[in-house]
Amino acid sequence: MQNKLMKRLSLAALFLALGLLLPFLTGQIPQIGNMLLPMHLPVLLCGLICGAGYGAFCGIAGPVVSCVLSGMPTALQLASMAPELCAYGLLCGLLYRHIRTGKIYPDLYCAMLPAILLGRVLGGLCKMLVYLATARDGFTMTVWLTTYFVQTLPGTVLQLLVIPTIVFAL
């Protein structure tokens, strides 16, 4: 029991470290850095491999620690990014634990797709609240759909291709 706990804690720490490192590496290429959603990959992996609680913690701690250490994401971005990533880790872990089709790839996709969609919806709602609280204009349904679904499509495709392969390999 103690060995399993230490393994999960170690893996969660690894995913948290990856969540800090990957945005730094992809940020060196401004054209594609944000489209690849580098902080999302380790959070989804953490939820799937370590469980819902660890995934949720990684989803909150990653952007908060990154904001403190590097200033990115900014405090305003953090208000929508942390809940979105927390939802990714939590929902992925919960759904993967309870969905059992008997085949690993359908299980993974049945856990990942709702987690990604609901996380994006939650992120958009939080961003709308930030805009309302700071008396900003300009956050419309079109802006939300564009920033949370269209511009992030390459990152979502990357997640759906890479994460199941990694989980299967492990």
Side-chain angles (χ1 to χ4, degrees), residues 138-150:
F139 192 73
T140 63
M141 182 66 81
T142 304
V143 170
W144 173 64
L145 290 173
T146 302
T147 57
Y148 278 87
F149 293 97
V150 176

Side-chain angles (χ1 to χ4, degrees), residues 1-155:
M1 185 70 166
Q2 185 76 7
N3 192 21
K4 192 173 187 177
L5 174 67
M6 291 306 294
K7 183 178 178 182
R8 285 186 180 175
L9 284 173
S10 299
L11 284 171
L14 172 70
F15 292 128
L16 181 59
L18 283 173
L20 300 173
L21 180 64
L22 288 177
F24 175 75
L25 295 176
T26 60
Q28 305 305 313
I29 311 166
Q31 296 82 5
I32 63 167
N34 289 335
M35 288 190 320
L36 293 180
L37 308 171
M39 198 173 275
H40 297 61
L41 290 168
V43 171
L44 289 165
L45 281 168
C46 188
L48 291 168
I49 294 170
C50 299
Y54 294 97
F57 174 77
C58 189
I60 292 173
V64 169
V65 171
S66 181
C67 178
V68 170
L69 293 178
S70 69
M72 288 305 293
T74 65
L76 286 176
Q77 292 170 324
L78 184 63
S80 61
M81 191 174 192
E84 176 185 3
L85 291 179
C86 178
Y88 283 175
L90 179 71
L91 293 172
C92 252
L94 286 174
L95 292 171
Y96 189 59
R97 181 176 173 199
H98 294 292
I99 294 174
R100 293 288 172 226
T101 63
K103 296 183 180 158
I104 190 166
Y105 281 104
D107 289 351
L108 288 167
Y109 286 116
C110 287
M112 288 175 56
L113 287 171
I116 291 170
L117 291 174
L118 291 172
R120 298 266 162 82
V121 169
L122 180 61
L125 290 173
C126 290
K127 184 162 271 195
M128 180 188 69
L129 292 174
V130 167
Y131 269 71
L132 290 173
T134 58
R136 291 181 169 187
D137 289 330
F139 192 73
T140 63
M141 182 66 81
T142 304
V143 170
W144 173 64
L145 290 173
T146 302
T147 57
Y148 278 87
F149 293 97
V150 176
Q151 292 175 351
T152 61
L153 191 59

